[in-house]
Amino acid sequence: DAGVIQSPRHEVTEMGQEVTLRCKPISGHDYLFWYRQTMMRGLELLIYFNNNVPIDDSGMPEDRFSAKMPNASFSTLKIQPSEPRDSAVYFCASSKHSGQVYGYTFGSGTRLTVV
Amino acid sequence: DQQVKQNSPSLSVQEGRISILNCDYTNSMFDYFLWYKKYPAEGPTFLISISSIKDKNEDGRFTVFLNKSAKHLSLHIVPSQPGDSAVYFCAASATGSSNTGKLIFGQGTTLQVKP
């Protein structure tokens, strides 16, 4: 079991550029979550999917953010255009069920820097 | 609006002593609570959880206490070890809601255990 795999680990981009973050959840997990970590707000839920269907995207900050899950083994989080305030660590997580009792499994994160 | 709050950004304790990390929540619909631990450059990892039907759950050196009337939970680590130095996140979920799969996290508390 390779765990939740995120790529890239680090991304530095210029303001205005498009950024795509990628996630491969654990096989068999039917929930997938995108979180963003900042000092002020901690771990902030952006969007989550159940069986590849977006369930709640109320945490997506603006229309510049979009997420897709075309199949059970892959998801993307896209920011277009990127801004310096988007700089943060973005985590993907997956779980077999809703995760209340045993929690989610997180990936190692993507550190995004927008200059 | 921060539904889960960790008001202490940091805590420092001596090795062998007790570490107490605190968390407050505002949503009375929350009925599952979890603690995660995060090391630098890694994703958060699940530590321990508690259902609202209990007021205490213990796992080795880690115990979580829940006070529903005060909407407060705490994580006790006894005895504390240098390897426990990490960021600890509190999280909560409302299983009866339409967003049953959603975990709401606090801002995190950085614990430093001094040898």
Side-chain angles (χ1 to χ4, degrees):
Chain A
D1 182 358
V4 175
I5 300 173
Q6 290 187 248
S7 64
R9 287 299 305 272
H10 302 274
E11 176 78 39
V12 180
T13 190
E14 290 185 349
M15 182 174 63
Q17 295 297 307
E18 178 181 294
V19 175
T20 299
L21 311 181
R22 296 172 175 78
C23 176
K24 176 178 169 55
I26 292 174
S27 176
H29 281 193
D30 44 14
Y31 282 84
L32 183 139
F33 308 84
W34 282 100
Y35 280 85
R36 177 170 68 175
Q37 183 189 4
T38 62
M39 290 297 293
M40 289 297 294
R41 300 182 67 84
L43 281 166
E44 186 182 14
L45 178 65
L46 301 177
I47 185 171
Y48 81 95
F49 297 82
N50 182 18
N51 293 320
N52 313 338
V53 176
I55 302 301
D56 183 355
D57 66 354
S58 59
M60 297 286 260
E62 299 169 33
D63 291 344
R64 299 184 295 107
F65 285 70
S66 62
K68 293 182 180 179
M69 192 166 185
N71 56 63
S73 59
F74 184 65
S75 177
T76 60
L77 178 68
K78 186 176 293 186
I79 308 173
Q80 165 64 10
S82 57
E83 296 182 3
R85 60 193 167 118
D86 301 331
S87 298
V89 182
Y90 290 80
F91 288 101
C92 175
S94 70
S95 69
K96 175 64 176 173
H97 301 293
S98 53
Q100 281 92 354
V101 178
Y102 301 108
Y104 310 153
T105 301
F106 280 82
S108 298
T110 295
R111 181 174 292 278
L112 173 65
T113 304
V114 183
V115 298
Chain B
D1 62 332
Q2 200 77 15
Q3 295 186 64
V4 178
K5 297 180 183 180
Q6 295 176 254
N7 292 316
S8 298
S10 63
L11 174 68
S12 181
V13 300
Q14 208 65 35
E15 181 179 6
R17 305 296 292 269
I18 184 171
S19 295
I20 300 176
L21 297 102
N22 294 303
C23 177
D24 296 295
Y25 62 95
T26 57
N27 189 342
S28 58
M29 298 297 293
F30 287 149
D31 54 1
Y32 259 98
F33 305 89
L34 300 87
W35 285 93
Y36 276 76
K37 180 168 72 173
K38 184 187 178 303
Y39 293 118
E42 295 183 10
T45 55
F46 169 72
L47 192 55
I48 191 169
S49 65
I50 187 168
S51 161
S52 60
I53 63 173
K54 296 184 175 181
D55 55 18
K56 176 183 173 181
N57 189 25
E58 195 171 346
D59 184 1
R61 297 186 296 113
F62 302 89
T63 303
V64 56
F65 294 92
L66 176 62
N67 182 335
K68 289 188 292 293
S69 60
K71 294 189 175 68
H72 176 84
L73 65 156
S74 60
L75 175 69
H76 293 210
I77 306 173
V78 182
S80 301
Q81 299 174 353
D84 296 329
S85 298
V87 179
Y88 289 80
F89 289 98
C90 168
S93 175
T95 56
S97 72
S98 57
N99 284 334
T100 187
K102 188 172 167 177
L103 283 183
I104 306 298
F105 284 81
Q107 304 95 316
T109 297
T110 300
L111 172 66
Q112 182 186 27
V113 180
K114 297 179 179 178

